[in-house]
Amino acid sequence: MLGEKERAAIGRLWKRKLEQDAQKLAQSERHRNLEPASAEFICALAAGVCALRLLEIGGSSGISTIALAAAAKDAGGKLISIEIEAERQAESRETLSALGLEPVVDYRLGDAESLLPGLSEVDFALIDCEKEDYIRFFDMLQIARGGIVVADNILSHGLEDYVAHVRERPGAESITLNIGKGLEVTRFP
């Protein structure tokens, strides 16, 4: 679970993200991070289901990586963090190293489209990347029985197509939660 050090690091990263937004920097210059409340939720959820094999698609500068790495560490598991921006991933590495969480993170730099086919089954996945890629990346995931996929920005970006898509998956159970910018939580029984 998240402790004081992890929450302080998340707070620092979130404050900087809000400052970038206030400066109206170009989208490419802003760090696009998960909201602190969403980070708390995904950490608790991943820890609660004792996920051992975790994946995040879009780690940015590290808020979600902190949350999922903390859950992985508690369970004795491992997190694969995919990020396409080298500078953001480098910052995430530095932050997680300072927190003692880097040993449980397998950082992968590159496009998820080329990296996902090489991955094995996961217990927990977070999708927080370019919105037009959500459905395609969801379909590329290998989710273990009982596994969970969480997608961020569902309400803020009006991702009704994604929601409809995951709810059409046979056997999947899915719900939209009004946490942060909206999370779609999909479970595979």
Side-chain angles (χ1 to χ4, degrees):
M1 297 303 291
L2 295 176
E4 283 183 41
K5 289 190 322 186
E6 292 84 10
R7 286 186 179 105
I10 287 171
R12 176 183 57 79
L13 292 169
W14 184 249
K15 180 181 177 195
R16 190 194 53 217
K17 183 250 187 278
L18 293 177
E19 289 168 354
Q20 291 172 341
D21 290 349
Q23 293 170 15
K24 300 186 190 261
L25 297 177
Q27 187 75 345
S28 62
E29 296 176 28
R30 295 183 206 183
H31 290 226
R32 295 181 280 173
N33 291 115
L34 192 69
E35 293 76 11
S38 297
E40 290 277 356
F41 176 78
I42 64 168
C43 181
L45 182 59
V49 299
C50 298
L52 296 174
R53 300 163 298 175
L54 295 87
L55 168 69
E56 70 173 342
I57 304 170
S60 192
S61 55
I63 290 179
S64 57
T65 314
I66 293 167
L68 293 175
K73 184 177 181 182
D74 286 350
K78 193 82 170 174
L79 166 65
I80 296 171
S81 176
I82 297 174
E83 174 56 47
I84 199 165
E85 299 287 338
E87 185 178 319
R88 290 178 184 159
Q89 190 176 74
E91 182 177 357
S92 176
R93 279 181 183 269
E94 185 179 312
T95 299
L96 272 83
S97 178
L99 293 171
L101 293 172
E102 190 179 16
V104 300
V105 182
D106 176 1
Y107 284 97
R108 308 276 178 103
L109 181 63
D111 188 343
E113 183 173 22
S114 62
L115 296 172
L116 287 174
L119 300 182
S120 57
E121 197 173 69
V122 296
D123 304 309
F124 190 98
L126 172 67
I127 301 173
D128 189 13
C129 55
E130 298 303 323
K131 308 317 168 231
E132 62 271 11
D133 294 328
Y134 274 38
I135 290 173
R136 184 165 43 99
F137 291 165
F138 175 85
D139 288 343
M140 295 175 77
L141 294 173
Q142 295 183 55
I143 303 297
R145 186 175 183 174
I148 294 173
V149 177
V150 178
D152 189 32
N153 299 298
I154 298 300
L155 299 174
S156 64
H157 287 70
L159 299 177
E160 294 88 5
D161 289 350
Y162 174 82
V163 171
H165 183 78
V166 299
R167 292 180 184 190
E168 290 172 359
R169 179 70 67 95
E173 302 166 342
S174 201
I175 185 169
T176 303
L177 301 176
N178 191 9
I179 298 172
K181 292 185 177 178
L183 301 174
E184 185 71 15
V185 179
T186 307
R187 180 177 171 267
F188 296 84

